[in-house]
Amino acid sequence: MWVASAVGQAFEAVAARFALSPAQARALLLLADGLPMSTIADRLRCDASNVTGIADRLTARGLVTREPSLRDRRVKLLVLTGEGQRLRKELDHALSEASPVVAGLDPAERATLQRLLDKIVTNVAASHCPSQASGDRRR
Amino acid sequence: MWVASAVGQAFEAVAARFALSPAQARALLLLADGLPMSTIADRLRCDASNVTGIADRLTARGLVTREPSLRDRRVKLLVLTGEGQRLRKELDHALSEASPVVAGLDPAERATLQRLLDKIVTNVAASHCPSQASGDRRR
DNA sequence: TATTGTTATACTCTATAACTATA
DNA sequence: TATAGTTATAGAGTATAACAATA
């Protein structure tokens, strides 16, 4: 739990370097492709009403735009602007650099840790949503 | 990072079962013994002004009281009430039960993970505050 | 009828700055 | 002068409930 907390703080610190709140940074990382706002709410595990505010702030900074969906006129897709894509890339890179966690581990230890964490991810994902273990979520 | 996030969410979920915000739960866990409010701010890594509000809410629920320090009349110690001690114990227990992370690992894997995480804790603690490397990181 | 996104409301955490009472 | 705690203020995330447009 202490390590998890340290990782979370490292994430916050990196996000803050880009003047992003944790929620904004997480939303930005989700947007490799455009996504419906409801999907973002699901992935962020928060109520849909929050996404309105987060999207507003990202829009105000010129990082995303709201595009209408062609299939369903109720949904709006959040899509990165050019600036948003650039910032997302920088953020992603900074996050992979800032890894205090593995700093003191030798290559063998890192590999072992990676293997254990992968196994945990698989287990937790499977126990949470057995049906979508292979990762698609339509409708 | 995904695992760290899952651990954080598990923490939040358990805290919510006791109607505690994450910050309130963290403060409660810190209070095995009474602590000056400034120390709590340090441990929570937040500004001292926040501790006033957190302490207010914990006080309103009858979980803590503010006691004057005998050494320095400026400082107030946050001390658990009987009810606070009881709740802290339950919370602590619930947290050790709720460990989705290690659920799917066999004993040998758990031991390996524990060893690696301990090493990380030591490394990170040492790089952040070299003077107290052998110190107080016990929960 | 149900769902998507918005709005209004309220609560909590967060930091900054100004204040008090001590030191 | 400096520190501990408070207050006031402001911004952000969070949830709930009600609403319009659409399905």
Side-chain angles (χ1 to χ4, degrees):
Chain A
M1 232 157 81
W2 191 92
V3 172
S5 167
V7 170
Q9 279 164 10
F11 180 88
E12 276 191 48
V14 172
R17 296 215 311 262
F18 295 90
L20 293 168
S21 70
Q24 287 165 10
R26 286 163 62 203
L28 212 59
L29 292 173
L30 249 33
L31 291 175
D33 301 305
L35 288 177
M37 295 178 69
S38 58
T39 302
I40 300 184
D42 286 345
R43 302 272 176 89
L44 256 33
R45 294 182 211 220
C46 71
D47 190 84
S49 61
N50 299 320
V51 179
T52 298
I54 294 170
D56 284 348
R57 278 157 221 132
L58 292 175
T59 300
R61 283 185 57 184
L63 301 175
V64 306
T65 57
R66 278 177 242 236
E67 310 277 342
S69 165
L70 302 180
R71 297 186 185 168
D72 185 333
R73 282 187 300 177
R74 290 174 304 181
V75 344
K76 296 177 190 173
L77 301 172
L78 235 48
V79 179
L80 291 177
T81 62
E83 172 72 5
Q85 288 181 27
R86 193 186 60 67
L87 188 59
R88 181 179 176 280
K89 203 165 190 172
E90 281 186 39
L91 176 63
D92 203 29
H93 184 259
L95 285 170
S96 58
E97 296 279 299
S99 199
V101 161
V102 296
L105 301 185
D106 63 44
E109 288 171 328
R110 291 190 196 197
T112 301
L113 181 60
Q114 183 70 56
R115 186 181 63 76
L116 291 170
L117 294 180
D118 283 344
K119 184 164 186 176
I120 289 167
V121 170
T122 303
N123 289 339
V124 175
S127 72
H128 267 283
C129 32
S131 57
Q132 31 181 273
S134 68
D136 192 53
R137 177 171 148 61
R138 196 56 46 105
R139 238 198 69 89
Chain B
M1 232 157 80
W2 192 92
V3 172
S5 168
V7 171
Q9 279 164 9
F11 180 88
E12 277 191 48
V14 172
R17 294 215 312 261
F18 295 90
L20 293 168
S21 70
Q24 288 165 7
R26 286 162 63 202
L28 212 59
L29 291 173
L30 250 33
L31 291 176
D33 302 304
L35 288 178
M37 295 179 69
S38 58
T39 302
I40 299 184
D42 286 346
R43 302 273 176 92
L44 255 33
R45 296 181 210 221
C46 71
D47 189 84
S49 61
N50 299 320
V51 179
T52 299
I54 294 170
D56 284 348
R57 290 179 269 277
L58 291 176
T59 301
R61 282 187 56 184
L63 301 175
V64 307
T65 57
R66 279 177 242 237
E67 310 277 341
S69 165
L70 303 179
R71 297 186 184 167
D72 184 333
R73 282 187 300 175
R74 292 174 303 178
V75 343
K76 297 177 189 173
L77 302 172
L78 235 49
V79 179
L80 291 177
T81 62
E83 171 71 5
Q85 288 179 26
R86 193 186 59 70
L87 188 60
R88 180 179 177 279
K89 204 166 191 172
E90 280 186 38
L91 176 64
D92 203 30
H93 184 259
L95 286 170
S96 58
E97 295 279 300
S99 200
V101 161
V102 295
L105 301 184
D106 63 44
E109 287 172 327
R110 291 191 197 196
T112 302
L113 182 59
Q114 184 70 57
R115 186 181 64 74
L116 290 170
L117 294 180
D118 283 343
K119 185 163 185 178
I120 288 168
V121 171
T122 305
N123 289 338
V124 175
S127 71
H128 266 283
C129 33
S131 56
Q132 28 180 276
S134 73
D136 54 355
R137 207 41 96 176
R138 191 82 179 119
R139 191 170 62 79

